[in-house]
Amino acid sequence: MLTYPLSGSSSELVLNVLTMVLNQGKPLDRAYSHNFSGLKLAPDEQGRITLVVGDLLRRLNLYCFLAQVNIDNFEREGSKVLNAWHYFHGLDLPKMQYSLQIDAKQVDKLITDAKQQAALWDGCPQWLDDLGQTQLKDMWSDERAALAKAPKRYIRVNPLKCTRDELKKRLAKEGIETTEVEGVDSALEVTSNSALFRSDSFKEGWFEQQDAGSQMVADAVNAKPGMRVVDACAGAGGKTLHIAAQMQGKGRLLAMDVEQWKLDNLKTRAKRAGAHNVETRIIASSKTIKRLKLSADRVLLDVPCSGLGVLKRNPDAKWRDTPERLPVLVDLQKQILQSYSRMVKVDGMLIYATCSIMPEENSLQVQAFLAENPHFEFIDEEHIYVADKGFDGFYLARMRRITE
């Protein structure tokens, strides 16, 4: 956390970013891009701004409660919320040109009141708290508290270029401190506030930024050199590149998605990583899937989901999503499982994954699929909960096709 308050100009940037997210409906990454574009911010100052924005979004309802500001009015009264945030963390209030002041005695009383409301203290909106209690029961309180914490920074070593020890030593020479992650052999945690993407190690493809929990999902694919592997919901390709490293560049790795721009980004990343066996293909229609029937040794379905396991990293989703979106996603997941599983050949493996911690998207979805598809058998599953190791939350299940 900060040890001294934000400057006036940085405070204005924080408010501008949050206004774009909360009042204009912009994704957080685009709000950052818009506000940072053309500015010559030092890396540490940009880091301070993103730290404050992230913490405000993770517990936005708490800070709005302390400031007595309705979230819908953030554009007009955001300065008061930012002042309450500084006061809450024991910092002097920032010097802004226009600022709504807070009553310190009132905030002290409201802090005492908030401590008695667990969901509010954890920055959890009511719709999410209701959903979590319904689906996770007694586990939810620990998960809710864990989702209110700042995410750690993890990177994945690229074995096509180096070993983890070689990467660790090179990063140290570049002023980037890291530590090994227990139980995830491909991961390093970045423990210094360093500009990762300006390092030569990154530019030369020695690592990718990827959460340790996400790396565990790709590990479960267990792809071997010479296999034919399909990553059918590849997106920008973090797990694709991990799988390519497992295959040592040998065999065929088909990365598929419904959005071409994501595949274009993947091509750039694959070139930097030296992952030469990656082939991208747009899913133009159901015919794209039918042509690959019974052809793959491994099919990874990292399906569209609620993202409720990665709220530490994407906290704006708390204030943008609604409970009505979940049933739509669950239906889409079911359709993808049913359709895309046709690509798995006999004795091949289907890996279903989400970045959610909700059973409706995870184990219940898999159970329903297996009940309707006896030509697949269950192998195992893994729940990666946020409260366990501090990773993002994920789920994966592995199934084997036993007959056509």
Side-chain angles (χ1 to χ4, degrees), residues 301 303 327-342 365 369:
L301 299 181
V303 297
V328 177
L329 286 167
V330 169
D331 187 58
L332 177 60
Q333 292 159 4
K334 182 177 181 179
Q335 292 176 37
I336 290 174
L337 254 175
Q338 192 65 43
S339 177
Y340 291 19
S341 62
R342 290 179 290 179
Q365 190 74 272
F369 171 77

Side-chain angles (χ1 to χ4, degrees), residues 22-272:
L22 299 173
N23 298 109
Q24 299 173 25
K26 301 291 185 184
L28 182 56
D29 56 349
R30 293 186 186 178
Y32 280 137
S33 178
H34 176 86
N35 283 279
F36 290 163
S37 178
L39 297 179
K40 294 182 179 179
L41 287 172
D44 61 337
E45 189 61 17
Q46 184 169 317
R48 287 163 56 80
I49 292 168
T50 56
L51 183 152
V52 176
V53 169
D55 192 70
L56 276 160
L57 284 173
R58 275 186 290 276
R59 297 206 284 177
L60 181 65
N61 55 345
L62 170 63
Y63 299 124
C64 283
F65 174 76
L66 300 182
Q68 292 293 280
V69 169
N70 189 296
I71 291 176
D72 293 337
N73 295 332
F74 189 91
E75 186 170 8
R76 290 187 291 106
E77 302 181 84
S79 62
K80 192 175 183 182
V81 180
L82 185 56
N83 282 332
W85 182 92
H86 275 79
Y87 182 81
F88 180 85
H89 290 288
L91 300 170
D92 292 337
L93 303 191
K95 293 179 171 59
M96 293 181 279
Q97 186 173 2
Y98 302 103
S99 179
L100 296 172
Q101 298 306 303
I102 57 172
D103 181 331
K105 289 185 178 180
Q106 181 187 40
V107 174
D108 285 335
K109 180 181 182 302
L110 292 170
I111 289 173
T112 300
D113 293 344
K115 287 179 179 178
Q116 308 306 312
Q117 305 174 57
L120 176 63
W121 189 255
D122 291 335
C124 186
Q126 191 62 52
W127 72 266
L128 178 57
D129 194 47
D130 292 342
L131 179 65
Q133 290 190 37
T134 299
Q135 297 223 0
L136 290 174
K137 305 293 192 291
D138 293 342
M139 294 178 60
W140 173 239
S141 60
D142 288 342
E143 291 298 298
R144 184 184 62 208
L147 287 169
K149 297 177 180 177
K152 296 179 180 180
R153 286 205 295 174
Y154 295 101
I155 58 176
R156 177 185 60 79
V157 62
N158 178 11
L160 297 174
K161 298 280 183 112
C162 61
T163 65
R164 183 165 70 168
D165 189 54
E166 288 170 340
L167 174 61
K168 184 176 174 63
K169 290 177 180 177
R170 184 177 183 184
L171 289 173
K173 290 180 180 178
E174 295 189 75
I176 300 171
E177 299 173 12
T178 60
T179 184
E180 296 179 1
V181 179
E182 183 180 355
V184 188
D185 293 340
S186 56
L188 287 172
E189 180 187 346
V190 179
T191 55
S192 59
N193 187 20
S194 309
L196 280 177
F197 302 124
R198 298 185 186 185
S199 68
D200 290 336
S201 299
F202 175 75
K203 293 173 184 176
E204 295 174 21
W206 281 40
F207 71 86
E208 290 284 339
Q209 184 164 277
Q210 185 180 7
D211 184 77
S214 176
Q215 295 181 45
M216 293 173 69
V217 173
D219 280 338
V221 176
N222 194 28
K224 305 295 184 184
M227 281 186 171
R228 181 169 183 162
V229 180
V230 177
D231 184 355
C233 306
K239 296 181 182 69
T240 307
L241 298 180
H242 193 161
I243 296 167
Q246 292 176 354
M247 299 173 73
Q248 301 170 26
K250 301 171 184 176
R252 187 181 182 192
L253 175 52
L254 187 58
M256 308 174 72
D257 203 88
V258 295
E259 297 187 86
Q260 186 63 51
W261 68 270
K262 292 182 179 180
L263 297 178
D264 291 341
N265 287 346
L266 171 54
K267 289 178 184 178
T268 301
R269 296 175 69 186
K271 183 177 180 180
R272 184 179 63 238

